[in-house]
Amino acid sequence: MRSLRPADLAREHGLSTQAVRNYERNGCLPPADRTPTGYRIYTDVHAAALRAYVALVRGFGHASARSIMQAVHQGRTDDALAVIDAGHEQLMRDRATLSTVREAVEHIAAESDELSVGASPSAGFRSIGELAHALDLSPATVRTWERAGILDPQRDLATGYRVYANDDVRDARLAHLLRRGGYLLDQIAVVIGQIRSAGGTDELSKTVGDWQAKLTAQGIAMLKASAKLSEYLDIAADDERCGRSMTSS
């Protein structure tokens, strides 16, 4: 094994030498040997560990990458793999959410004429009864949508009654349309939440493609990270076997 300095490891990834030392201290790298004067001695094992950690950060985020490497260095390989599994499960959930949002946006676009009917209420607020009447629903249904996180009305400070602003009316109309289209309440809540964040259906439609690209990039980063981690585990195992062989001889 070559002897490497902190600067040698740092240079490959555009890091500072202090960052490399911090990663070792935090358990993201295996402990380094020291020279008689106290300087750290890194090897190709440490270089492989740093490559794995940097790749894991890109694919799974800082917290998960740290947990994975710490688990590996503590001999808890199954725990490290469980963190990786959880990351892939989250990616699958994100893909399912994106699919739901994309289909819902397409459904809304196909029914845009229906949404335009009465879609611009007069300025001000509506009561739950007025909103229910406008959509031909019962007030109980409107309250159910609120409990599901689809609607989030304000409350009148004097009476405590629900009051629905124009954005609430828009969300209720979208929810009504999606409900008739066969969407479940939890799916509708996700879609409405995305529409609120984006600022409207048109804006959300524009971001769906970017969202897909980000998920694809993350999936590829996860694959690369897993490959780097596997490579590191092999190198570390070979080094350990070599060390045992030298000790026995």
Side-chain angles (χ1 to χ4, degrees), residues 42-119:
Y42 292 123
T43 67
D44 289 325
V45 173
H46 296 89
L50 184 56
R51 292 187 194 106
Y53 175 70
V54 170
L56 287 166
V57 168
R58 295 193 184 105
F60 296 87
H62 285 277
S64 293
R66 183 170 57 251
S67 295
I68 291 166
M69 296 303 288
Q70 288 173 344
V72 165
H73 294 139
Q74 293 169 8
R76 298 183 289 108
T77 303
D78 284 342
D79 291 343
L81 296 177
V83 177
I84 292 174
D85 292 342
H88 284 287
E89 288 174 358
Q90 181 61 57
L91 182 61
M92 288 184 63
R93 288 193 294 271
D94 290 344
R95 289 188 184 281
T97 298
L98 174 60
S99 178
T100 297
V101 171
R102 177 187 286 113
E103 291 174 1
V105 169
E106 292 173 353
H107 185 90
I108 290 169
E111 302 292 342
S112 58
D113 289 342
E114 181 177 345
L115 281 175
S116 66
V117 178

Side-chain angles (χ1 to χ4, degrees), residues 105-229:
V105 169
E106 292 173 353
H107 185 90
I108 290 169
E111 302 292 342
S112 58
D113 289 342
E114 181 177 345
L115 281 175
S116 66
V117 178
S120 300
S122 59
F125 299 96
R126 292 189 177 196
S127 68
I128 189 171
E130 291 170 335
L131 178 62
H133 178 74
L135 298 179
D136 195 23
L137 299 170
S138 70
T141 296
V142 177
R143 285 191 288 269
T144 297
W145 289 359
E146 181 183 345
R147 287 193 296 272
I150 296 171
L151 300 177
D152 185 23
Q154 300 178 33
R155 295 276 183 163
D156 185 281
L157 295 178
T159 65
Y161 292 152
R162 296 171 177 83
V163 287
Y164 297 86
N166 289 357
D167 286 349
D168 298 314
V169 176
R170 177 204 65 189
D171 293 344
R173 290 182 180 278
L174 292 173
H176 194 208
L177 180 61
L178 294 174
R179 196 76 180 98
R180 294 204 309 273
Y183 287 84
L184 302 176
L185 293 181
D186 58 345
Q187 294 176 316
I188 296 173
V190 170
V191 173
I192 296 298
Q194 292 293 331
I195 289 172
R196 288 177 189 148
S197 298
T201 54
D202 291 341
E203 289 75 10
L204 178 59
S205 182
K206 295 174 185 176
T207 64
V208 165
D210 292 338
W211 189 356
Q212 178 70 70
K214 288 178 181 178
L215 293 183
T216 299
Q218 184 181 1
I220 292 173
M222 285 179 168
L223 288 176
K224 291 181 178 178
S226 296
K228 289 295 183 184
L229 179 60

